[in-house]
Amino acid sequence: MLTDARLRVVLLVSVHAGAEERFLHAYEQLSQQVAAVPGHISDQLCQSIENPSQWLITSEWESAPPFLSWVESPEHREMVKPLHGCVEDTRSLRFSVLRETFSAKDAAGRRAAPPVRLAPRVGDGLVRHALTFTVKPGSEQSVAKILADYAAPEARVDENTRLCRTSLFMSGNRVVRAVEVKGDLVAALRHVARQPEVRAVEEAINPHLEEDRDLDDPEAARDFFMRAALPVVHHLTADPSRPPNLRRHMLLYPVKEGCGPAVASLLARQDDLAVTKSKAELEAGGGKGQHTIVSSTVFQRDDIVVRMVDMDVPLDRELAVAAGVSGPRAAAVLGRLLDAGDGGKKIDLASEAGLRRFLTDCDMEPVTDRRAADY
């Protein structure tokens, strides 16, 4: 997802038989509220001509950050509650707008607007998602042991979906769990939640959570996981072949209040620049060498920004690229967006010593990293 590009959101909805009128009424109420959300451009409601139970909601947004800010907000959770009793299943897909084509009639009135010509990104066939939550101070070691010791769930979900990798990190009392799925992310998450070993782990960490949750109450469980969700706002893959012996790091950025979207956008642009530069260097060298960053994923919700990077070199080999800054200007801008936490001093990202301190502080502690046998 390109943080500065227009965003198209596609929501596939399966409506309970007989609930179509209630669903339509709930949508009409919701659409009026969504129209007032900053960043929203338009939306459409469609019903399948083959199966009346299948509906499609599409919406367009100025960019990803305003949509993600809204969809993860308490206001959004309240808005969509009337839909819960009508809907059997949903699946949300999010796309950056790269190209547009208009009819000759429509194009005549749009010549003043620049055409959309964004470059496509290379993918690796995986969908990524993360959750984050905090545990009670003092319980970190107990939680880490619980999360590290459980048996891995069955990787195969169905003939089209597999759970490929689960990476779990901690920093202080914050936990971040990232999953990589081939196929349907929602189906994979539901599959994992039903596994007895996973259910046992979730129950074991319940007493240690700062925020109480009741997994036996479907509404309460849904609310908790919506609040814990840490969406992907940007991902790139420099080498889809996944070279062996990559080093995975999860960096938790100390963001100033209200600066989360700006930090995520800056990190996305810097990783794009770093990968473009390394590709050019490889081409100039006849394919010899390696990518510093093989893949990067930026997760963001409000002011929680986490960047997961797979690197071909140690973290301290390329300090600036590892931190997400490729030049002095980017270092200065990011430094102003981050909270040093010591009397308002700026974080030093311009010097080698400052970068080393920053990466030491931000690099989360790995707890477990599980991969499917054929990943």
Side-chain angles (χ1 to χ4, degrees), residues 191-202:
H191 163 80
V192 170
R194 289 194 296 265
Q195 302 305 302
E197 57 269 33
V198 173
R199 181 74 183 208
V201 167
E202 298 291 352

Side-chain angles (χ1 to χ4, degrees), residues 76-350:
H76 171 263
R77 290 193 287 273
E78 288 299 316
M79 283 185 198
V80 300
K81 278 185 178 179
L83 296 176
H84 291 168
C86 314
V87 172
E88 182 178 357
D89 193 19
T90 63
R91 184 183 180 192
S92 179
L93 305 171
R94 300 152 189 188
F95 300 86
S96 299
V97 179
L98 300 188
R99 301 286 191 277
E100 283 185 308
T101 302
F102 301 103
S103 68
K105 180 179 178 181
D106 287 341
R110 297 175 183 263
R111 286 173 184 163
V116 179
R117 300 291 295 178
L118 296 176
R121 289 166 294 135
V122 176
D124 56 7
L126 299 180
V127 185
R128 292 164 175 84
H129 184 67
L131 294 173
T132 185
F133 51 86
T134 55
V135 298
K136 296 173 182 175
S139 68
E140 293 88 351
Q141 289 187 355
S142 298
V143 171
K145 187 175 189 311
I146 293 169
L147 294 172
D149 288 348
Y150 74 97
E154 171 60 39
R156 185 178 185 274
V157 178
D158 54 41
E159 60 182 8
N160 298 314
T161 302
R162 289 182 60 80
L163 180 65
C164 296
R165 188 170 183 177
T166 300
S167 303
L168 199 143
F169 292 76
M170 292 185 69
S171 179
N173 69 330
R174 179 165 294 281
V175 178
V176 175
R177 179 192 304 165
V179 296
E180 294 169 80
V181 172
K182 188 174 183 63
D184 188 337
L185 174 65
V186 173
L189 295 178
R190 289 176 177 167
H191 163 80
V192 170
R194 289 194 296 265
Q195 302 305 302
E197 57 269 33
V198 173
R199 181 74 183 208
V201 167
E202 298 291 352
E203 294 292 347
I205 66 173
N206 267 348
H208 302 294
L209 297 178
E210 284 198 313
E211 180 183 356
D212 292 334
R213 67 179 182 182
D214 181 2
L215 296 180
D216 293 324
D217 180 343
E219 190 72 21
R222 178 176 16 216
D223 284 348
F224 174 83
F225 285 111
M226 285 183 68
R227 292 192 298 274
L230 199 56
V232 173
V233 297
H234 185 265
H235 173 78
L236 62 83
T237 299
D239 186 350
S241 69
R242 291 192 295 273
N245 303 318
L246 293 180
R247 300 162 175 87
R248 169 158 289 186
H249 296 271
M250 191 80 79
L251 303 175
L252 176 63
Y253 288 76
V255 177
K256 285 183 179 177
E257 184 176 356
C259 294
V263 171
S265 181
L266 185 149
L267 293 173
R269 291 194 300 270
Q270 290 299 301
D271 281 342
D272 282 337
L273 290 172
V275 168
T276 299
K277 180 181 177 182
S278 67
K279 284 182 177 179
E281 291 173 348
L282 283 171
E283 291 173 0
K288 296 180 180 180
Q290 57 194 130
H291 292 286
T292 301
I293 294 179
V294 174
S295 74
S296 170
T297 307
V298 179
F299 302 92
Q300 181 250 328
R301 188 189 76 237
D302 299 330
D303 290 332
I304 301 174
V305 179
V306 175
R307 178 167 159 265
M308 183 171 71
V309 290
D310 290 336
M311 301 184 65
D312 236 347
V313 299
L315 192 71
D316 59 359
R317 178 84 61 84
E318 296 283 350
L319 294 169
V321 173
V325 291
S326 57
R329 184 175 181 277
V333 173
L334 183 58
R336 289 195 295 269
L337 297 172
L338 300 180
D339 186 358
D342 56 355
K345 291 182 180 179
K346 290 183 180 179
I347 292 179
D348 174 20
L349 299 177

Side-chain angles (χ1 to χ4, degrees), residues 20-35 43-45 55 57 79 82-83:
E20 291 82 5
E21 285 295 333
R22 282 195 295 128
F23 173 74
L24 184 58
H25 177 72
Y27 167 80
E28 288 175 343
Q29 298 296 316
L30 176 62
S31 64
Q32 294 176 19
Q33 296 172 302
V34 176
D43 60 65
Q44 291 181 319
L45 175 66
W55 296 66
I57 301 173
M79 283 185 198
L83 296 176

